[in-house]
Coordinates of all heavy atoms in Angstrom, one line a residue:
Y23 N -2.7 -2.4 12.3 CA -3.3 -1.9 11.0 C -3.3 -3.1 10.0 O -2.5 -4.0 10.0 CB -2.4 -0.8 10.5 CG -2.4 0.5 11.2 CD1 -1.3 1.3 11.2 CD2 -3.5 0.9 11.9 CE1 -1.3 2.6 11.8 CE2 -3.5 2.1 12.6 CZ -2.5 2.9 12.6 OH -2.5 4.1 13.2
D24 N -4.3 -3.0 9.1 CA -4.4 -3.9 8.0 C -3.4 -3.5 7.0 O -2.8 -2.5 7.0 CB -5.8 -4.0 7.5 CG -6.3 -2.7 7.0 OD1 -5.7 -2.1 6.1 OD2 -7.4 -2.2 7.4
V25 N -3.2 -4.4 5.9 CA -2.2 -4.2 4.9 C -2.5 -2.9 4.1 O -1.5 -2.2 3.7 CB -2.1 -5.4 4.0 CG1 -3.4 -5.6 3.3 CG2 -0.9 -5.2 3.0
G26 N -3.7 -2.6 3.9 CA -4.1 -1.3 3.2 C -3.7 -0.1 3.9 O -3.1 0.8 3.4
T27 N -4.0 -0.1 5.2 CA -3.6 1.1 6.0 C -2.1 1.2 6.1 O -1.5 2.3 6.1 CB -4.2 1.0 7.4 OG1 -5.7 0.9 7.3 CG2 -3.9 2.2 8.3
A28 N -1.4 0.1 6.3 CA 0.0 0.1 6.3 C 0.6 0.7 5.1 O 1.6 1.5 5.1 CB 0.6 -1.3 6.6
A29 N 0.1 0.3 3.9 CA 0.6 0.8 2.6 C 0.3 2.3 2.5 O 1.2 3.1 2.0 CB -0.1 0.1 1.5
G30 N -0.8 2.8 3.0 CA -1.1 4.2 3.0 C -0.2 5.0 3.9 O 0.2 6.1 3.6
L31 N 0.1 4.3 5.1 CA 1.1 5.0 6.0 C 2.5 5.1 5.3 O 3.1 6.2 5.4 CB 1.2 4.1 7.2 CG 2.4 4.4 8.2 CD1 2.2 5.8 8.8 CD2 2.5 3.4 9.3
L32 N 2.9 4.1 4.6 CA 4.2 4.2 3.9 C 4.2 5.2 2.8 O 5.1 6.0 2.7 CB 4.5 2.8 3.3 CG 5.8 2.7 2.5 CD1 7.1 3.0 3.4 CD2 5.9 1.4 1.8
A33 N 3.1 5.3 2.1 CA 3.0 6.3 1.0 C 2.9 7.7 1.5 O 3.5 8.6 1.0 CB 1.8 6.0 0.1
G34 N 2.1 7.9 2.6 CA 1.9 9.3 3.1 C 3.0 9.8 3.9 O 3.5 10.9 3.7
A35 N 3.5 9.0 4.9 CA 4.6 9.5 5.8 C 5.8 9.8 5.0 O 6.6 10.6 5.5 CB 4.8 8.5 6.9
F36 N 6.1 9.2 3.9 CA 7.3 9.4 3.1 C 7.0 10.0 1.8 O 7.8 9.9 0.9 CB 8.0 8.0 3.0 CG 8.2 7.4 4.3 CD1 7.6 6.2 4.6 CD2 9.0 8.0 5.3 CE1 7.7 5.6 5.8 CE2 9.1 7.4 6.6 CZ 8.5 6.1 6.8
S37 N 5.8 10.6 1.6 CA 5.4 11.4 0.5 C 5.7 10.7 -0.9 O 6.2 11.4 -1.8 CB 6.1 12.8 0.5 OG 7.5 12.7 0.4
E38 N 5.5 9.4 -0.9 CA 5.7 8.7 -2.2 C 4.4 8.1 -2.6 O 4.0 7.0 -2.3 CB 6.8 7.6 -1.9 CG 7.2 6.8 -3.2 CD 7.7 7.8 -4.3 OE1 8.7 8.5 -4.0 OE2 7.2 7.8 -5.4
S39 N 3.7 8.9 -3.4 CA 2.3 8.5 -3.8 C 2.3 7.3 -4.7 O 1.3 6.7 -4.9 CB 1.6 9.7 -4.5 OG 2.4 10.3 -5.5
T40 N 3.4 7.0 -5.4 CA 3.4 5.8 -6.3 C 3.2 4.5 -5.5 O 2.7 3.6 -6.1 CB 4.8 5.7 -7.0 OG1 5.8 5.7 -6.0 CG2 5.0 6.9 -7.9
V41 N 3.5 4.5 -4.2 CA 3.2 3.3 -3.4 C 1.7 3.0 -3.4 O 1.4 1.8 -3.3 CB 3.7 3.6 -1.9 CG1 3.3 2.4 -1.0 CG2 5.2 3.7 -1.9
I42 N 0.9 4.0 -3.5 CA -0.6 3.7 -3.6 C -0.9 2.7 -4.7 O -1.7 1.8 -4.6 CB -1.4 5.0 -3.8 CG1 -1.2 5.9 -2.6 CG2 -2.8 4.7 -4.0 CD1 -1.8 7.3 -2.7
G43 N -0.2 3.0 -5.9 CA -0.5 2.1 -7.0 C 0.2 0.8 -6.9 O -0.5 -0.3 -7.2
T44 N 1.5 0.7 -6.6 CA 2.2 -0.5 -6.5 C 1.7 -1.4 -5.4 O 1.5 -2.7 -5.6 CB 3.7 -0.3 -6.4 OG1 3.9 0.5 -5.2 CG2 4.3 0.4 -7.6
A45 N 1.3 -0.9 -4.3 CA 0.7 -1.7 -3.2 C -0.7 -2.1 -3.5 O -1.0 -3.3 -3.2 CB 0.7 -0.8 -1.9
G46 N -1.4 -1.3 -4.2 CA -2.8 -1.7 -4.6 C -2.7 -2.8 -5.6 O -3.5 -3.8 -5.5
D47 N -1.8 -2.8 -6.5 CA -1.6 -3.9 -7.5 C -1.3 -5.2 -6.7 O -1.8 -6.3 -7.0 CB -0.5 -3.6 -8.5 CG -1.0 -2.6 -9.5 OD1 -2.2 -2.3 -9.6 OD2 -0.1 -2.0 -10.2
A48 N -0.4 -5.1 -5.7 CA 0.0 -6.3 -4.9 C -1.2 -6.8 -4.1 O -1.4 -8.0 -4.0 CB 1.1 -5.9 -4.0
I49 N -2.0 -5.9 -3.6 CA -3.2 -6.4 -2.8 C -4.2 -7.1 -3.7 O -4.8 -8.1 -3.3 CB -3.8 -5.2 -2.1 CG1 -2.9 -4.7 -0.9 CG2 -5.2 -5.6 -1.5 CD1 -3.4 -3.4 -0.3
N50 N -4.3 -6.6 -4.9 CA -5.3 -7.2 -5.9 C -4.9 -8.7 -6.2 O -5.7 -9.4 -6.7 CB -5.3 -6.4 -7.2 CG -6.5 -5.4 -7.1 OD1 -7.5 -5.7 -6.6 ND2 -6.3 -4.3 -7.7
R51 N -3.6 -9.0 -6.0 CA -3.1 -10.4 -6.3 C -3.2 -11.3 -5.1 O -2.8 -12.5 -5.2 CB -1.7 -10.3 -6.9 CG -1.6 -9.7 -8.2 CD -0.2 -9.9 -8.9 NE 0.8 -9.5 -8.0 CZ 1.3 -8.3 -7.9 NH1 0.8 -7.3 -8.7 NH2 2.3 -8.0 -7.1
L52 N -3.6 -10.8 -3.9 CA -3.7 -11.6 -2.8 C -4.9 -12.6 -2.9 O -5.9 -12.3 -3.5 CB -3.9 -10.8 -1.5 CG -2.7 -9.9 -1.1 CD1 -3.0 -9.0 0.1 CD2 -1.4 -10.7 -0.9
A53 N -4.8 -13.8 -2.3 CA -5.8 -14.8 -2.4 C -6.9 -14.5 -1.3 O -7.0 -15.2 -0.3 CB -5.2 -16.2 -2.1
L54 N -7.6 -13.4 -1.5 CA -8.7 -12.9 -0.6 C -10.0 -12.7 -1.4 O -9.9 -12.5 -2.6 CB -8.3 -11.6 0.0 CG -7.0 -11.7 0.9 CD1 -6.6 -10.3 1.4 CD2 -7.3 -12.5 2.2

């Protein structure tokens, strides 16, 4: 899985929707 799918897996499987936001912020800072 790519990093986005992995973050969604963490957020969904453990019902912690805040991960969507914190992981998204982290991805936005990647040099891509």
Side-chain angles (χ1 to χ4, degrees):
Y23 289 154
D24 59 56
V25 62
T27 302
L31 168 63
L32 178 65
F36 309 114
S37 67
E38 187 56 58
S39 50
T40 56
V41 173
I42 296 175
T44 56
D47 287 344
I49 290 173
N50 265 325
R51 293 193 303 275
L52 295 178
L54 297 173

